[in-house]
Amino acid sequence: MTSGGAPDSLGSFAIGFDQRDRARLHALWDEIIASNRWSQGSVVEAFEAAWEGWNGLPAVAMSSWSGAALAALEFAGVRGTKVLCPSNTFMATPLAAQAAGAEVVFVDCNRHDLCASFADFEAKALAHRPRAAFVVHIGGHIAFDVERIAAFCRAEGIFLIEDCAHAHGASFNGRRPGTWGDAGIWSFAATKTISTGEGGMLVAADEDLVGFARSYRDYGKPDYARAGLNLRMNEFTAALGLVGTERMEEITAWKNAAAREWLDADHPDRVQLPPGMVSGLYKYIVFRPIERSTGKVYDSPCHRIMGHDVDLPNTDWVAENHWCVPLYYQPSPERAEEGKDA
Ligand SMILES: Cc1ncc(COP(=O)(O)O)c(C=O)c1O
């Protein structure tokens, strides 16, 4: 047991996969092998339908987060324009904007949620007139300012992309990440709350964007009206996504219950969520050094890595003053055993 009575297993890294899903996963993989259809088949469609069921918007599976990001950025037409991006994010976010031909303008975060600050977002948008912008839901909760940022973007004609790479399982008054902006883009990389090893998803309400993304992931087929590439997800990967999506609410509930039971009493200086918000708890973030930390969400802000001469005091403060308490999905040993021999 760790302090707070938490089982030691809570602190050992585990992929967010439920062992009870092994038999179902293996059955799906057997079906795929027998089908002779290893790509562009019914399992990708089933994963997209399950994701849409959870997320509430049409979903397009991609081979990675980058594929989803590039599809959204190309659709928005950012080449030769500016894109706002929080500096407190993974380098993936600004690099995607750069790869799509845009100039990145960094935005400061709030100290309390580590996500884009509306005040700095508005100031940078008015000064730089970007074509598009990112908001990143850092750590698994939803950016506290997302509603104001989205309303501002709608009024100013800025295409808003929600980077939901951390946000599996999250909601704000019942609303899911990716539904405030013009596009939501997800990662299923190996450390994420649910994972396909590698993979991504784009969600959007706009049918034109959904159609664009489907074509973009497939070299621009059928009419080659856009210069897409191969960003397709294969059927085996989609099977992992399908079982993970169906288990996601349970995983989120388990992580939240574990946090309440074993961690919260020891960590009063954690991120405090507004009423109505549920975090997927990709990270459990505290604002003081702790003994058993998995480190920081990010050690170095992107504006520092990329050498931008811009003053982002909250971003620099966050980089120095937060740590992550280990919290990995570890259902009871009996449950885990149930799936072992499948
Ligand atoms: C905030 C954020 N955006 C984007 C990505 C990129 O996701 P992927 O590794 O699936 O390309 C990550 C990955 O960790 C991330 O943390």
Side-chain angles (χ1 to χ4, degrees):
M1 293 280 176
T2 58
S3 67
D8 288 329
S9 58
L10 203 65
S12 324
F13 174 74
I15 299 236
F17 175 74
D18 194 305
Q19 296 299 331
R20 290 172 295 164
D21 292 330
R22 275 195 184 206
R24 168 119 197 278
L25 180 64
H26 287 182
L28 283 167
W29 280 342
D30 279 340
E31 280 171 32
I32 296 164
I33 290 168
S35 75
N36 278 315
R37 185 144 192 182
W38 290 12
S39 185
Q40 297 178 287
S42 61
V43 187
V44 167
E45 285 174 9
F47 179 26
E48 290 176 339
W51 194 264
E52 175 172 349
W54 179 81
N55 209 152
L57 288 176
V60 183
M62 297 275 183
S63 55
S64 69
W65 177 97
S66 294
L70 287 175
L73 289 158
E74 292 285 353
F75 180 81
V78 300
R79 192 162 297 279
T81 72
K82 294 183 179 176
V83 169
L84 296 192
C85 180
S87 175
N88 185 42
T89 182
F90 183 47
M91 280 290 286
T93 327
L95 286 176
Q98 204 172 269
E103 182 187 332
V104 174
V105 175
F106 282 115
V107 173
D108 208 0
C109 64
N110 301 308
R111 294 185 182 198
H112 52 272
D113 70 346
L114 298 85
C115 301
S117 131
F118 175 72
D120 199 49
F121 189 101
E122 182 184 41
K124 294 279 165 51
L126 296 175
H128 293 275
R129 297 287 165 194
R131 170 75 198 98
F134 281 105
V135 64
V136 187
H137 303 303
I138 292 291
H141 54 266
I142 292 170
F144 294 3
D145 292 348
V146 71
E147 281 180 7
R148 284 205 293 166
I149 288 173
F152 173 78
C153 285
R154 269 194 303 280
E156 296 292 326
I158 299 167
F159 187 93
L160 181 63
I161 303 170
E162 293 178 60
D163 180 344
C164 304
H166 298 184
H168 311 72
S171 60
F172 193 13
N173 294 322
R175 192 167 171 177
R176 300 296 187 190
T179 62
W180 283 274
D182 295 287
I185 53 175
W186 296 84
S187 162
F188 302 110
T191 63
K192 299 299 185 270
T193 301
I194 67 157
S195 174
T196 58
E198 301 288 357
M201 191 73 83
L202 176 144
V203 297
D206 181 354
E207 281 174 18
D208 289 344
L209 171 51
V210 171
F212 180 95
R214 288 197 188 290
S215 169
Y216 188 79
R217 73 175 171 186
D218 197 15
Y219 292 115
K221 285 183 190 171
D223 57 4
Y224 305 102
R226 56 211 58 83
L229 292 168
N230 179 359
L231 302 163
R232 300 184 299 260
M233 177 179 281
N234 71 70
E235 292 283 286
F236 297 98
T237 301
L240 273 161
L242 178 59
V243 298
T245 305
E246 289 171 358
R247 200 59 88 173
M248 184 163 52
E249 282 298 282
E250 196 177 335
I251 294 176
T252 305
W254 185 94
K255 288 186 99 171
N256 273 275
R260 302 297 85 82
E261 183 173 355
W262 292 315
L263 303 179
D264 286 0
D266 282 350
H267 301 291
D269 46 4
R270 64 187 177 275
V271 169
Q272 300 288 346
L273 302 181
M277 189 179 290
V278 175
S279 173
L281 285 172
Y282 173 56
K283 302 283 180 185
Y284 185 107
I285 300 168
V286 298
F287 295 111
R288 112 181 107 92
I290 49 168
E291 210 177 295
R292 294 185 71 219
S293 163
T294 60
K296 296 184 171 164
V297 186
Y298 305 111
D299 291 306
S300 306
C302 295
H303 75 285
R304 301 254 166 227
I305 297 171
M306 294 176 83
H308 283 217
D309 184 15
V310 56
D311 189 27
L312 303 175
N314 291 344
T315 300
D316 286 332
W317 183 90
V318 158
E320 289 299 314
N321 291 286
H322 82 282
W323 290 266
C324 300
V325 180
L327 171 54
Y328 300 110
Y329 180 56
Q330 305 272 8
S332 69
E334 302 78 44
R335 277 185 173 190
E337 278 307 312
E338 280 175 40
K340 277 279 162 55
D341 302 321

